[in-house]
Amino acid sequence: MRARPQVCEALLFALALQTGVCYGIKWLALSKTPAALALNQTQHCKQLEGLVSAQVQLCRSNLELMHTIVRAAREVTKACRRAFADMRWNCSSIELAPNYLLDLERGRAGTADSTRVGVSEFRRESRCVWIGEPPGPGNRWGGCADNLSYGLLMGAKFSDAPMKVKKTGSQANKLMRLHNSEVGRQALRASLETKCKCHGVSGSCSIRTCWKGLQELRDVAADLKTRYLSATKVVHRPMGTRKHLVPKDLDIRPVKDSELVYLQSSPDFCMKNEKVGSHGTQDRQCNKTSNGSDSCDLMCCGRGYNPYTDRVVERCRCKYHWCCYVTCHSCERTVERYVCK
């Protein structure tokens, strides 16, 4: 069934923090699609960067969805940079799509830094209204279906298409990518929750509008980042009549459906090394008082750091005037910051 435009009117992307393969995420080059490209004719699909032939065909047959896919690529790019801003590997290479550096080229991950980018999905929150309390856990929903299943289906078709190309990459990398994409979709399913808004005289909440919707992006991303931090290293090994991905150190059990996996360990990203795709952390800002990944000790890899001062201008001494505006002064203060040697 062809998608209707309104199906994707409430786009959300889920950042699947996954060990990736660069050809699998070249479609994120769509984030650079010029606004002047209308995307209202099938020939426009050939002008889009980073797509394999199957994705071009999906573009042609689902042209009305391409604006949301472009927005998803932009959100993926921003969210990845935001999620890893405080780590040695800070997702900066994603801006180079579709021509990635080596840090995004292989299915690898490190114990502290290495994640790869994710899947985009579409969904629409559908709402229903009733009087009084909303149905409890034991009640059935009536006439209030959501479009998560459709979103998962379309998202899988588009983001997994590069993994279906026969001549692209090793079988182990394809299996890893497909497995991690499914983990991302699983996180989306788990994030579906009931949301309600009260209506009524003086906030009495005599009427509630409720709908099924996904959690906020930051919450889904936090779940996936937790899975990434405990990702399992795997090998491609025969089990029965076929080869499967199995944990390298615990190959007596199959890989769990809920765990992200990787094939190769990453470098520590401390020093700049283009051969391995490391930008290094020299001149990166660090947090002197933190004990986390953004601490000066971890970020600077023991090399030390240099302090500098920064002047910050903020609004201050704000006053409310009846009716109805606020006036503020501008105050300047000096902040001490630190960068890695």
Side-chain angles (χ1 to χ4, degrees), residues 281-292:
T281 61
Q282 185 177 4
D283 296 329
R284 286 280 303 277
Q285 188 168 303
C286 62
N287 188 336
K288 184 180 178 181
T289 60
S290 172
N291 293 319

Side-chain angles (χ1 to χ4, degrees), residues 45 52-62:
C45 295
V52 298
S53 58
Q55 288 170 322
V56 173
Q57 291 302 319
L58 282 168
C59 172
R60 289 171 174 166
S61 58
N62 297 276

Side-chain angles (χ1 to χ4, degrees), residues 162-290:
M163 300 302 106
K164 307 297 176 65
V165 179
K166 290 184 179 180
K167 296 182 180 180
T168 308
S170 69
Q171 182 64 17
N173 275 333
K174 290 180 181 180
L175 289 175
M176 178 201 66
R177 167 71 179 182
L178 291 170
H179 172 88
N180 285 340
S181 292
E182 181 55 35
V183 173
R185 290 188 281 272
Q186 181 189 99
L188 272 179
R189 295 185 192 97
S191 75
L192 195 65
E193 62 184 5
T194 301
K195 301 178 180 181
C196 294
K197 181 178 181 180
C198 284
H199 308 276
V201 180
S202 301
S204 63
C205 208
S206 57
I207 299 176
R208 288 188 183 184
T209 302
C210 292
W211 64 97
K212 283 287 189 180
L214 300 179
Q215 293 176 6
E216 295 296 324
L217 170 61
R218 61 178 176 270
D219 298 322
V220 180
D223 172 33
L224 289 166
K225 190 171 184 178
T226 298
R227 301 188 198 209
Y228 143 74
L229 290 171
S230 59
T232 301
K233 189 171 186 178
V234 294
V235 293
H236 196 209
R237 184 167 297 170
M239 289 183 67
T241 58
R242 300 177 61 186
K243 281 188 173 183
H244 297 268
L245 296 179
V246 295
K248 187 176 186 302
D249 299 323
L250 296 169
D251 57 5
I252 58 174
R253 69 162 175 85
V255 173
K256 295 179 181 178
D257 293 339
S258 60
E259 63 185 325
L260 293 172
V261 299
Y262 64 99
L263 290 165
Q264 299 180 35
S265 296
S266 285
D268 57 21
F269 295 106
C270 286
M271 305 300 293
K272 186 174 182 178
N273 186 336
E274 292 183 0
K275 288 184 178 180
V276 297
S278 174
H279 298 278
T281 61
Q282 185 177 4
D283 296 329
R284 286 280 303 277
Q285 188 168 303
C286 62
N287 188 336
K288 184 180 178 181
T289 60
S290 172

Side-chain angles (χ1 to χ4, degrees), residues 6 56 146 194 272 306 333:
Q6 64 267 31
V56 173
D146 61 65
T194 301
K272 186 174 182 178
N306 293 318
R333 64 187 178 96

Side-chain angles (χ1 to χ4, degrees), residues 25 28 31-32 76-104 113-117 269 272 277-282 284:
I25 53 174
L28 292 181
S31 63
K32 301 176 182 178
V76 168
T77 302
K78 290 189 294 184
C80 187
R81 294 299 306 272
R82 189 165 54 240
F84 289 90
D86 62 346
M87 300 186 75
R88 292 178 190 168
W89 187 85
N90 64 354
C91 199
S92 57
S93 296
I94 197 174
E95 303 285 354
L96 302 176
N99 302 310
Y100 295 115
L101 299 179
L102 290 179
D103 58 329
L104 283 169
D113 300 276
S114 73
T115 199
R116 306 299 177 252
V117 203
F269 295 106
K272 186 174 182 178
S278 174
H279 298 278
T281 61
Q282 185 177 4
R284 286 280 303 277

